[in-house]
Amino acid sequence: MIRWVLWLVPIGCVLADPACVLSPTGTMLCCAAEDEACMAKVQKAHAEPLPSTPPVPVTPSKPRMVGSSFTFANATVWDGSSPFDVAVVGVPFGLEVGYDAPGMQLVRKETARLFPYSRLYSASLQDLRIVDGQDLLVSGAPMDRLAGLEAAAAQFFSKGRPLVAVGGDQFITFALMKAAKAAVGKFGIVHIDKDLAIGTGSREQGLSASTALFWGAAASLFDTRHSLHVASRGNLPSQQVELLDQELGFQTLTAEEVTLMGAREVIDHIKARLRRRDGTFLPAYLSLDLDVLDPALYNTVVSSGSSSSGSAGAGEPGGLRVSELRAILAGLRPFCRLVGADVRDVAGQTDPAALRVAAAIVQDVTLLAGLRPDSTLMSPPLQHEL
């Protein structure tokens, strides 16, 4: 007689089917019924994907001033209302993509180390009310950054005193001049730079670092009859660039001409250019790019965005000596009334020797902007003084 033995097993185990899922490689993966960890992974694989949400457009943030550990020449931080003789503000980033600025704090630190009295100007920084506007950060597309910088600079120019911007690329010049024009009225520009910043010679060019002065002239931000380039050098894309520059009304002194003429004759040339028919001098905006210096003396930093900013040939030899540049700047003191200035090719510097050069020139420009010209050669009153 055969006896059948029925083994009792948990009903759940008998009835439960193994859970399986098809992997991306085409292999069927199955889990044992009691393997809870494996079951959890399978359930997760079978889970319905969450509905995708449409991307939310990000609007550019408002321009803001960012505090720093050091101030230019140990100046006080501007509180937004106190009167001043000259304000200095940092622009740690250019307005085009790819511009890096690791050295803004280092430039501030170097200016704080310099002695305040300048024999070139027979004046001390301590005689001026200098304020530090800190660093300006803007975001968004280039045109959004442009508008942000213009709005931030306007609060300084509205006080009727010069603003010196340190850092950035040539693009910032357009925004600063636009803010200055709204506050003080007419002025010329003294553009000391290796490049002309009028582009490729075409009359149909977008606004960029390499076309900033082309657009500035087209928008009548300055009077080209009283404007000039100083110490430009290097080859151009074509002769059309030179012809367009002349058509816009600029005068140009090349670096080679500056060497042949000497600092005194260059100063006389700038003086004649700024002179008005009544014998007074039109106020000026100073745009200074330190790539105008000989690269053997000042190691120019070329950022990743330099090809679009017109500085790809910044290392080309033949620039000015540091003493030449400082002598020319000091020679403007008796007759040139600055409404504002920018000192560029500074923000990317980390080389100690280059930082010392940049700090000395920033100090010179600050003194030039803060001191008034001789009363016998006084410029006509600015718009806010009428």
Side-chain angles (χ1 to χ4, degrees), residues 92 99-104 107 167-168 301 345-351 355:
Y99 193 96
D100 299 322
M104 286 304 301
V107 174
V301 174
D345 210 349
V346 174
Q349 285 292 351
T350 54
D351 178 66
L355 286 167

Side-chain angles (χ1 to χ4, degrees), residues 96 99 169-171 193 195 197 208-211 289 291 302-312 344:
E96 290 193 338
Y99 193 96
D169 53 24
Q170 183 76 72
F171 205 170
D193 194 339
D195 305 298
S208 66
S210 61
T211 62
D289 193 326
D291 70 1
V302 180
S303 69
S304 59
S306 61
S307 60
S308 62
S309 64
S311 300
R344 294 170 284 106

Side-chain angles (χ1 to χ4, degrees), residues 15-148:
L15 300 180
D17 293 328
C20 299
V21 63
L22 187 65
S23 70
T25 60
T27 305
M28 186 67 72
L29 303 177
C30 297
C31 297
E34 66 274 10
D35 192 343
E36 295 181 359
C38 182
M39 292 284 288
K41 292 181 180 179
V42 171
Q43 290 175 357
K44 184 177 180 181
H46 280 295
E48 293 292 331
L50 295 175
S52 60
T53 56
V56 179
V58 179
T59 56
S61 60
K62 294 182 178 180
R64 59 195 185 277
M65 307 307 294
V66 178
S68 57
S69 303
F70 302 95
T71 61
F72 286 103
N74 294 311
T76 58
V77 177
W78 192 47
D79 58 10
S81 60
S82 299
F84 56 84
D85 293 320
V86 59
V88 183
V89 63
V91 185
F93 299 99
L95 300 187
E96 290 193 338
V97 177
Y99 193 96
D100 299 322
M104 286 304 301
Q105 290 298 336
L106 300 177
V107 174
R108 276 192 168 91
K109 188 175 182 180
E110 286 297 327
T111 59
R113 289 176 174 176
L114 296 176
F115 289 122
Y117 181 77
S118 170
R119 290 184 290 178
L120 270 174
Y121 295 85
S122 299
S124 173
L125 291 174
Q126 295 176 344
D127 299 332
L128 299 174
R129 293 173 297 178
I130 302 174
V131 296
D132 190 326
Q134 301 294 275
D135 286 348
L136 172 67
L137 294 183
V138 292
S139 62
M143 298 309 295
D144 295 322
R145 298 184 182 193
L146 189 74

Side-chain angles (χ1 to χ4, degrees), residues 181-240:
K181 175 69 178 295
V184 305
K186 294 180 62 176
F187 54 83
I189 181 171
V190 179
H191 181 225
I192 306 177
D193 194 339
K194 180 186 76 68
D195 305 298
L196 298 178
I198 63 164
T200 61
S202 171
R203 290 173 177 79
E204 297 181 0
Q205 304 179 90
L207 177 58
S208 66
S210 61
T211 62
L213 293 194
F214 169 80
W215 274 80
S220 299
L221 297 184
F222 51 86
D223 191 339
T224 55
R225 298 172 301 174
H226 298 278
S227 301
L228 74 167
H229 306 286
V230 178
S232 63
R233 72 181 191 273
N235 293 341
L236 301 172
S238 70
Q239 188 184 13
Q240 187 62 35

